[in-house]
Coordinates of all heavy atoms in Angstrom, one line a residue:
M1 N 2.8 10.1 147.9 CA 3.4 9.0 148.5 C 2.6 8.5 149.7 O 2.4 7.3 149.8 CB 4.8 9.3 149.0 CG 5.5 8.2 149.8 SD 7.0 8.7 150.6 CE 8.2 7.7 149.8
A2 N 2.2 9.3 150.6 CA 1.5 8.9 151.8 C 0.0 9.2 151.7 O -0.6 9.4 152.7 CB 2.1 9.7 153.0
T3 N -0.6 9.1 150.6 CA -2.0 9.3 150.4 C -2.8 8.0 150.9 O -2.2 6.9 150.9 CB -2.4 9.6 149.0 OG1 -2.0 8.5 148.2 CG2 -1.8 10.9 148.5
N4 N -4.0 8.2 151.3 CA -4.9 7.2 151.6 C -4.4 6.3 152.8 O -4.4 5.1 152.7 CB -5.3 6.3 150.4 CG -6.0 7.1 149.4 OD1 -6.8 8.0 149.7 ND2 -5.7 6.7 148.1
L5 N -3.9 6.9 153.8 CA -3.4 6.2 155.0 C -4.6 5.9 155.9 O -5.5 6.7 156.1 CB -2.4 7.0 155.7 CG -1.1 7.3 154.9 CD1 -0.2 8.2 155.8 CD2 -0.4 6.1 154.5
Y6 N -4.6 4.7 156.5 CA -5.7 4.3 157.4 C -5.5 4.9 158.8 O -6.4 5.3 159.5 CB -5.8 2.8 157.5 CG -6.3 2.2 156.2 CD1 -5.4 1.5 155.4 CD2 -7.6 2.4 155.8 CE1 -5.9 1.0 154.2 CE2 -8.0 1.9 154.6 CZ -7.2 1.2 153.8 OH -7.6 0.6 152.6
T7 N -4.2 5.0 159.2 CA -3.9 5.6 160.5 C -2.7 6.6 160.4 O -1.8 6.3 159.6 CB -3.6 4.6 161.6 OG1 -2.5 3.8 161.2 CG2 -4.8 3.6 161.8
V8 N -2.8 7.7 161.1 CA -1.7 8.6 161.1 C -1.5 9.1 162.5 O -2.4 8.9 163.4 CB -2.0 9.8 160.2 CG1 -2.0 9.5 158.7 CG2 -3.2 10.6 160.6
I9 N -0.4 9.6 162.8 CA -0.2 10.2 164.2 C -0.7 11.7 164.1 O -0.8 12.3 163.1 CB 1.3 10.1 164.7 CG1 2.2 11.0 163.8 CG2 1.7 8.7 164.7 CD1 3.6 11.1 164.4
T10 N -1.1 12.2 165.3 CA -1.6 13.5 165.3 C -0.4 14.5 165.4 O 0.7 14.1 165.8 CB -2.5 13.7 166.6 OG1 -1.7 13.6 167.7 CG2 -3.7 12.7 166.6
R11 N -0.7 15.8 165.2 CA 0.3 16.8 165.4 C 0.8 16.8 166.8 O 2.0 17.0 167.0 CB -0.2 18.2 165.0 CG 0.8 19.3 165.0 CD 0.2 20.6 164.4 NE 1.2 21.6 164.3 CZ 1.5 22.4 165.4 NH1 0.9 22.4 166.5 NH2 2.5 23.3 165.2
E12 N -0.1 16.7 167.7 CA 0.3 16.7 169.2 C 1.3 15.5 169.5 O 2.2 15.7 170.2 CB -0.9 16.7 170.1 CG -1.7 17.9 170.0 CD -2.6 18.1 168.8 OE1 -2.9 17.1 168.1 OE2 -2.9 19.3 168.5
Q13 N 1.0 14.4 168.9 CA 1.9 13.2 169.1 C 3.2 13.5 168.5 O 4.3 13.1 169.1 CB 1.2 12.0 168.5 CG 0.0 11.5 169.3 CD -0.7 10.3 168.5 OE1 -0.8 10.4 167.3 NE2 -1.1 9.3 169.3
A14 N 3.2 14.1 167.3 CA 4.5 14.4 166.6 C 5.3 15.4 167.4 O 6.5 15.2 167.6 CB 4.2 14.9 165.2
I15 N 4.7 16.4 167.9 CA 5.4 17.4 168.7 C 6.0 16.8 170.0 O 7.1 17.0 170.4 CB 4.5 18.6 169.1 CG1 4.2 19.4 167.8 CG2 5.1 19.5 170.1 CD1 3.1 20.4 168.0
A16 N 5.2 16.0 170.7 CA 5.6 15.3 171.9 C 6.9 14.4 171.6 O 7.8 14.4 172.4 CB 4.5 14.5 172.5
S17 N 6.8 13.7 170.5 CA 7.9 12.8 170.2 C 9.2 13.7 169.8 O 10.3 13.3 170.2 CB 7.5 11.9 169.0 OG 8.6 11.1 168.6
F18 N 9.0 14.7 169.1 CA 10.1 15.6 168.7 C 10.7 16.2 169.9 O 11.9 16.3 170.1 CB 9.5 16.7 167.8 CG 10.6 17.8 167.4 CD1 11.5 17.5 166.4 CD2 10.6 19.0 168.0 CE1 12.4 18.4 166.0 CE2 11.6 19.9 167.7 CZ 12.5 19.6 166.6
E19 N 9.9 16.7 170.9 CA 10.4 17.3 172.1 C 11.1 16.3 173.0 O 12.1 16.6 173.7 CB 9.3 17.9 172.9 CG 8.7 19.2 172.3 CD 7.5 19.8 173.0 OE1 6.9 19.1 173.7 OE2 7.3 21.0 172.8
E20 N 10.7 15.0 172.9 CA 11.4 14.0 173.7 C 12.7 13.5 173.1 O 13.7 13.2 173.8 CB 10.4 12.8 173.9 CG 11.0 11.7 174.8 CD 10.0 10.6 175.1 OE1 8.8 10.7 174.7 OE2 10.4 9.6 175.8
Y21 N 12.7 13.3 171.8 CA 13.9 12.7 171.2 C 14.8 13.6 170.4 O 16.0 13.3 170.3 CB 13.4 11.5 170.3 CG 12.6 10.4 171.0 CD1 11.3 10.3 170.9 CD2 13.3 9.6 171.9 CE1 10.6 9.3 171.6 CE2 12.6 8.6 172.6 CZ 11.3 8.5 172.5 OH 10.6 7.5 173.2
E22 N 14.3 14.6 169.7 CA 15.1 15.4 168.8 C 15.6 16.7 169.5 O 16.7 17.1 169.4 CB 14.3 15.8 167.6 CG 13.7 14.6 166.8 CD 14.8 13.8 166.2 OE1 15.9 14.3 165.8 OE2 14.6 12.5 166.0
L23 N 14.7 17.4 170.2 CA 15.0 18.6 170.8 C 16.1 18.6 171.8 O 17.0 19.5 171.9 CB 13.8 19.3 171.4 CG 13.9 20.7 171.9 CD1 14.3 21.6 170.8 CD2 12.5 21.2 172.5
P24 N 16.2 17.5 172.7 CA 17.4 17.5 173.6 C 18.7 17.5 173.0 O 19.7 18.1 173.5 CB 17.1 16.2 174.4 CG 15.7 16.0 174.3 CD 15.3 16.5 172.9
I25 N 18.9 16.9 171.8 CA 20.1 17.0 171.1 C 20.5 18.4 170.7 O 21.6 18.8 170.8 CB 20.0 16.0 169.8 CG1 19.8 14.6 170.3 CG2 21.3 16.2 169.0 CD1 19.4 13.7 169.2
I26 N 19.5 19.1 170.2 CA 19.7 20.5 169.8 C 20.0 21.3 171.0 O 20.9 22.2 171.0 CB 18.5 21.0 169.1 CG1 18.2 20.3 167.8 CG2 18.6 22.5 168.8 CD1 16.8 20.5 167.2
Q27 N 19.3 21.1 172.1 CA 19.6 21.9 173.3 C 21.0 21.7 173.9 O 21.5 22.6 174.4 CB 18.5 21.5 174.4 CG 17.1 22.0 174.0 CD 16.0 21.5 174.9 OE1 16.1 20.4 175.4 NE2 15.0 22.3 175.2
Q28 N 21.5 20.5 173.7 CA 22.9 20.3 174.1 C 23.9 21.2 173.3 O 24.8 21.8 173.9 CB 23.3 18.8 173.9 CG 22.7 17.9 174.9 CD 23.1 16.4 174.7 OE1 23.6 16.1 173.6 NE2 22.8 15.6 175.6
D29 N 23.6 21.3 172.0 CA 24.4 22.2 171.2 C 24.2 23.6 171.6 O 25.2 24.4 171.6 CB 24.1 22.0 169.7 CG 24.7 20.7 169.2 OD1 25.6 20.2 169.8 OD2 24.2 20.3 168.1
E30 N 23.0 24.0 171.9 CA 22.7 25.4 172.3 C 23.4 25.7 173.6 O 23.8 26.9 173.8 CB 21.2 25.5 172.5 CG 20.4 25.5 171.2 CD 18.9 25.5 171.4 OE1 18.4 25.1 172.5 OE2 18.2 25.8 170.4
Q31 N 23.5 24.8 174.6 CA 24.2 25.1 175.8 C 25.7 25.4 175.5 O 26.2 26.3 176.1 CB 24.1 23.9 176.8 CG 22.7 23.8 177.4 CD 22.6 22.6 178.3 OE1 23.4 21.7 178.3 NE2 21.5 22.6 179.1
R32 N 26.2 24.6 174.6 CA 27.6 24.9 174.2 C 27.8 26.2 173.6 O 28.7 26.9 173.8 CB 28.1 23.7 173.3 CG 29.6 23.8 172.9 CD 30.0 22.6 172.0 NE 29.1 22.5 170.9 CZ 29.2 23.2 169.8 NH1 30.0 24.2 169.7 NH2 28.4 23.0 168.7
L33 N 26.8 26.6 172.7 CA 26.9 27.8 172.0 C 26.5 29.0 172.8 O 26.9 30.2 172.5 CB 25.9 27.8 170.7 CG 26.3 26.8 169.6 CD1 25.1 26.7 168.6 CD2 27.6 27.2 169.0
G34 N 25.7 28.8 173.8 CA 25.2 29.9 174.7 C 24.0 30.6 174.2 O 23.7 31.7 174.7
H35 N 23.3 30.1 173.3 CA 22.1 30.7 172.8 C 21.1 29.7 172.1 O 21.6 28.6 171.7 CB 22.3 31.9 171.9 CG 23.0 31.5 170.5 ND1 22.9 30.3 169.9 CD2 23.8 32.2 169.7 CE1 23.5 30.3 168.8 NE2 24.1 31.4 168.6
I36 N 19.9 30.1 172.0 CA 18.9 29.2 171.3 C 19.1 29.4 169.8 O 19.1 30.5 169.3 CB 17.5 29.6 171.8 CG1 17.3 29.3 173.2 CG2 16.4 28.9 170.9 CD1 15.9 29.7 173.8
D37 N 19.2 28.2 169.2 CA 19.4 28.2 167.7 C 18.1 27.9 167.0 O 17.8 26.7 166.8 CB 20.5 27.2 167.4 CG 20.9 27.2 166.0 OD1 20.3 27.8 165.1 OD2 22.0 26.6 165.7
T38 N 17.3 28.9 166.7 CA 16.0 28.7 166.1 C 16.1 28.1 164.7 O 15.2 27.4 164.3 CB 15.2 30.0 166.1 OG1 15.9 31.0 165.4 CG2 14.9 30.5 167.5
V39 N 17.2 28.4 164.0 CA 17.4 27.8 162.7 C 17.6 26.3 162.8 O 16.9 25.6 162.0 CB 18.6 28.5 162.0 CG1 18.9 27.8 160.6 CG2 18.4 30.0 161.7
A40 N 18.4 25.9 163.7 CA 18.6 24.4 163.9 C 17.3 23.8 164.3 O 17.0 22.7 163.9 CB 19.7 24.2 164.9
R41 N 16.6 24.4 165.2 CA 15.3 23.8 165.7 C 14.3 23.7 164.5 O 13.6 22.7 164.3 CB 14.7 24.7 166.8 CG 15.4 24.6 168.1 CD 14.8 25.5 169.1 NE 15.5 25.4 170.4 CZ 15.0 25.4 171.6 NH1 13.6 25.5 171.7 NH2 15.7 25.3 172.7
S42 N 14.2 24.8 163.7 CA 13.3 24.8 162.6 C 13.7 23.7 161.6 O 12.8 23.0 161.1 CB 13.3 26.2 161.9 OG 12.5 26.2 160.8
E43 N 14.9 23.6 161.3 CA 15.4 22.6 160.3 C 15.2 21.2 160.8 O 14.7 20.3 160.1 CB 16.9 22.8 160.0 CG 17.4 21.9 159.0 CD 18.9 22.1 158.6 OE1 19.4 23.1 159.0 OE2 19.4 21.3 157.8
A44 N 15.4 21.0 162.1 CA 15.2 19.7 162.7 C 13.7 19.3 162.6 O 13.4 18.1 162.3 CB 15.7 19.7 164.1
W45 N 12.8 20.3 162.9 CA 11.4 20.0 162.8 C 11.0 19.6 161.4 O 10.3 18.6 161.1 CB 10.5 21.2 163.3 CG 9.1 21.0 163.0 CD1 8.3 21.6 162.1 CD2 8.2 20.1 163.7 NE1 7.0 21.1 162.1 CE2 6.9 20.2 163.1 CE3 8.3 19.2 164.8 CZ2 5.8 19.5 163.5 CZ3 7.2 18.5 165.2 CH2 6.0 18.6 164.6
S46 N 11.5 20.4 160.4 CA 11.2 20.1 159.0 C 11.7 18.7 158.6 O 11.0 18.0 158.0 CB 11.8 21.2 158.1 OG 11.2 22.4 158.4
N47 N 12.9 18.4 159.0 CA 13.4 17.1 158.7 C 12.6 16.0 159.4 O 12.4 14.9 158.8 CB 14.9 17.0 159.1 CG 15.8 17.9 158.2 OD1 15.4 18.3 157.1 ND2 16.9 18.2 158.7
Y48 N 12.2 16.2 160.6 CA 11.5 15.2 161.4 C 10.1 15.0 160.7 O 9.7 13.8 160.5 CB 11.3 15.7 162.8 CG 10.5 14.8 163.7 CD1 11.0 13.6 164.1 CD2 9.2 15.1 164.1 CE1 10.3 12.7 164.9 CE2 8.5 14.3 164.9 CZ 9.0 13.1 165.3 OH 8.3 12.2 166.1
V49 N 9.4 16.0 160.4 CA 8.1 15.9 159.7 C 8.3 15.2 158.4 O 7.5 14.3 158.0 CB 7.4 17.2 159.5 CG1 6.2 17.1 158.7 CG2 7.0 17.8 160.9
D50 N 9.3 15.5 157.6 CA 9.6 14.8 156.4 C 9.8 13.3 156.6 O 9.3 12.5 155.8 CB 10.8 15.5 155.6 CG 10.9 14.9 154.2 OD1 10.0 15.0 153.4 OD2 12.0 14.4 153.9
S51 N 10.5 13.0 157.6 CA 10.8 11.6 157.9 C 9.5 10.8 158.3 O 9.3 9.7 157.9 CB 11.8 11.4 159.0 OG 11.4 11.7 160.2
L52 N 8.6 11.5 159.0 CA 7.3 10.9 159.4 C 6.5 10.6 158.1 O 5.9 9.6 157.9 CB 6.5 11.8 160.3 CG 7.0 12.1 161.7 CD1 6.2 13.1 162.4 CD2 7.1 10.8 162.5
W53 N 6.6 11.6 157.2 CA 5.8 11.4 155.9 C 6.4 10.3 155.1 O 5.7 9.4 154.5 CB 5.9 12.7 155.1 CG 5.2 12.6 153.8 CD1 3.9 12.6 153.5 CD2 5.9 12.6 152.5 NE1 3.7 12.6 152.2 CE2 4.9 12.6 151.5 CE3 7.2 12.6 152.1 CZ2 5.2 12.5 150.2 CZ3 7.5 12.6 150.8 CH2 6.5 12.5 149.8
Q54 N 7.8 10.2 155.0 CA 8.4 9.2 154.2 C 8.2 7.8 154.8 O 8.1 6.8 154.1 CB 9.9 9.4 154.2 CG 10.3 10.6 153.3 CD 11.8 10.9 153.3 OE1 12.6 10.2 153.9 NE2 12.2 11.9 152.6
N55 N 8.0 7.7 156.1 CA 7.7 6.5 156.8 C 6.2 6.2 156.9 O 5.8 5.3 157.6 CB 8.3 6.4 158.2 CG 9.8 6.4 158.1 OD1 10.4 5.7 157.3 ND2 10.5 7.1 159.0
R56 N 5.4 7.0 156.2 CA 4.0 6.8 156.1 C 3.3 6.9 157.4 O 2.3 6.3 157.7 CB 3.6 5.5 155.3 CG 4.2 5.5 153.9 CD 3.9 4.2 153.2 NE 2.5 4.0 153.0 CZ 1.8 4.5 152.0 NH1 2.3 5.3 151.1 NH2 0.5 4.2 151.9
Q57 N 3.8 7.8 158.3 CA 3.2 8.0 159.6 C 2.3 9.2 159.6 O 1.5 9.4 160.5 CB 4.2 8.1 160.7 CG 5.0 6.8 160.9 CD 6.1 7.0 161.9 OE1 7.2 7.5 161.6 NE2 5.8 6.6 163.1
I58 N 2.4 10.1 158.6 CA 1.5 11.2 158.4 C 1.2 11.3 156.9 O 1.8 10.8 156.1 CB 2.2 12.6 158.9 CG1 3.4 13.0 158.0 CG2 2.5 12.5 160.4 CD1 3.9 14.3 158.3
S59 N 0.1 12.0 156.7 CA -0.5 12.1 155.3 C 0.2 13.3 154.6 O 0.9 14.1 155.1 CB -2.0 12.4 155.4 OG -2.2 13.7 155.9
D60 N -0.1 13.3 153.3 CA 0.4 14.4 152.4 C -0.2 15.8 153.0 O 0.5 16.8 153.0 CB -0.1 14.3 151.0 CG 0.5 13.1 150.3 OD1 1.5 12.5 150.8 OD2 -0.1 12.6 149.3
W61 N -1.4 15.8 153.4 CA -2.1 17.0 153.9 C -1.3 17.5 155.2 O -1.0 18.6 155.3 CB -3.5 16.8 154.2 CG -4.2 18.0 154.6 CD1 -4.9 18.9 153.8 CD2 -4.3 18.6 156.0 NE1 -5.3 20.0 154.6 CE2 -5.0 19.8 155.9 CE3 -3.8 18.2 157.2 CZ2 -5.2 20.6 157.0 CZ3 -4.0 19.0 158.3 CH2 -4.7 20.2 158.2
Q62 N -1.0 16.5 156.1 CA -0.3 16.9 157.3 C 1.1 17.5 156.9 O 1.5 18.5 157.5 CB -0.1 15.7 158.2 CG -1.4 15.3 158.9 CD -1.3 13.9 159.5 OE1 -1.0 12.9 158.9 NE2 -1.6 13.9 160.8
L63 N 1.8 16.9 156.0 CA 3.1 17.3 155.6 C 3.0 18.8 155.1 O 3.8 19.6 155.5 CB 3.7 16.4 154.6 CG 5.0 16.9 153.9 CD1 6.1 16.7 154.9 CD2 5.3 16.1 152.6
E64 N 2.0 19.0 154.3 CA 1.9 20.4 153.7 C 1.3 21.4 154.6 O 1.5 22.6 154.3 CB 1.0 20.2 152.4 CG 1.7 19.4 151.4 CD 0.7 19.0 150.2 OE1 -0.4 19.5 150.2 OE2 1.1 18.2 149.4
N65 N 0.6 21.0 155.7 CA -0.1 22.0 156.4 C 0.3 22.2 157.9 O -0.1 23.2 158.5 CB -1.6 21.7 156.4 CG -2.2 21.9 155.1 OD1 -2.5 23.1 154.7 ND2 -2.4 20.9 154.3
W66 N 1.2 21.4 158.4 CA 1.6 21.6 159.8 C 2.6 22.7 159.8 O 3.6 22.7 159.0 CB 2.3 20.3 160.3 CG 1.4 19.2 160.7 CD1 0.0 19.3 160.8 CD2 1.7 18.0 161.3 NE1 -0.5 18.1 161.2 CE2 0.5 17.3 161.6 CE3 2.9 17.3 161.5 CZ2 0.5 16.0 162.1 CZ3 2.9 16.0 162.0 CH2 1.7 15.4 162.3
D67 N 2.4 23.6 160.7 CA 3.4 24.7 160.9 C 4.4 24.3 162.0 O 4.2 23.2 162.6 CB 2.7 26.0 161.2 CG 1.8 25.9 162.5 OD1 1.6 24.8 163.0 OD2 1.3 27.0 162.9
H68 N 5.4 25.1 162.2 CA 6.4 24.8 163.2 C 5.8 25.0 164.6 O 5.1 26.0 164.9 CB 7.6 25.7 163.1 CG 8.4 25.3 161.9 ND1 8.0 25.5 160.6 CD2 9.6 24.7 161.8 CE1 8.9 25.0 159.8 NE2 9.9 24.5 160.5
P69 N 6.1 24.1 165.6 CA 5.5 24.2 166.9 C 6.3 25.3 167.7 O 7.4 25.7 167.3 CB 5.8 22.8 167.5 CG 6.9 22.3 166.8 CD 6.8 22.8 165.4
D70 N 5.7 25.6 168.8 CA 6.3 26.7 169.7 C 7.8 26.3 170.1 O 8.6 27.2 170.3 CB 5.5 26.9 170.9 CG 4.2 27.6 170.6 OD1 4.0 28.2 169.5 OD2 3.2 27.5 171.4
C71 N 8.0 25.0 170.3 CA 9.4 24.6 170.8 C 10.5 25.0 169.8 O 11.7 24.9 170.1 CB 9.4 23.2 171.1 SG 9.2 22.0 169.7
T72 N 10.1 25.3 168.5 CA 11.2 25.7 167.6 C 11.4 27.2 167.6 O 12.3 27.7 166.9 CB 10.8 25.3 166.1 OG1 9.6 26.0 165.7 CG2 10.6 23.8 166.0
E73 N 10.7 28.0 168.4 CA 10.8 29.4 168.5 C 11.8 29.8 169.6 O 12.1 29.0 170.5 CB 9.5 30.0 168.8 CG 8.4 29.7 167.9 CD 8.5 30.4 166.5 OE1 9.0 31.6 166.5 OE2 8.2 29.8 165.5
D74 N 12.3 31.0 169.6 CA 13.1 31.5 170.7 C 12.3 31.7 171.9 O 11.4 32.5 171.9 CB 13.7 32.9 170.2 CG 14.8 33.3 171.2 OD1 15.1 32.6 172.1 OD2 15.3 34.4 170.9
Q75 N 12.6 30.9 173.0 CA 11.8 31.0 174.2 C 12.5 31.5 175.3 O 13.6 31.3 175.6 CB 11.3 29.6 174.5 CG 10.4 29.0 173.4 CD 10.0 27.6 173.7 OE1 10.3 27.0 174.7 NE2 9.4 27.0 172.7

């Protein structure tokens, strides 16, 4: 689907955007729960990367090769 793209965002850009827009929502739930929810963080990252791919912002290679960033780990 996203092959032969002329421009893509970098992994660093994707992580920064995820940390700014997606992670705070998860952190609100974590405060209520009283612990870090690494499953929710991991799932949110996977969904976020998939949406970037579907919107042609990252390539097939990026989708298949990006691992989860540190912010999805128990910190």
Side-chain angles (χ1 to χ4, degrees):
M1 173 193 245
T3 58
N4 298 325
L5 299 178
Y6 293 108
T7 61
V8 294
I9 65 171
T10 66
R11 184 173 185 273
E12 290 75 22
Q13 290 170 319
I15 292 170
S17 178
F18 178 80
E19 290 176 337
E20 183 175 353
Y21 298 107
E22 303 294 328
L23 191 56
I25 297 165
I26 298 165
Q27 289 171 326
Q28 287 178 348
D29 287 340
E30 291 172 340
Q31 286 178 347
R32 185 179 50 79
L33 294 171
H35 65 27
I36 293 176
D37 189 345
T38 56
V39 173
R41 288 177 179 221
S42 177
E43 183 176 353
W45 172 255
S46 294
N47 292 340
Y48 179 70
V49 170
D50 188 55
S51 72
L52 294 175
W53 178 75
Q54 289 177 3
N55 291 322
R56 302 179 60 84
Q57 293 178 280
I58 65 171
S59 68
D60 295 341
W61 186 92
Q62 289 169 300
L63 174 72
E64 295 169 5
N65 290 284
W66 281 0
D67 57 352
H68 287 72
D70 291 342
C71 66
T72 63
E73 304 289 322
D74 190 3
Q75 299 174 9

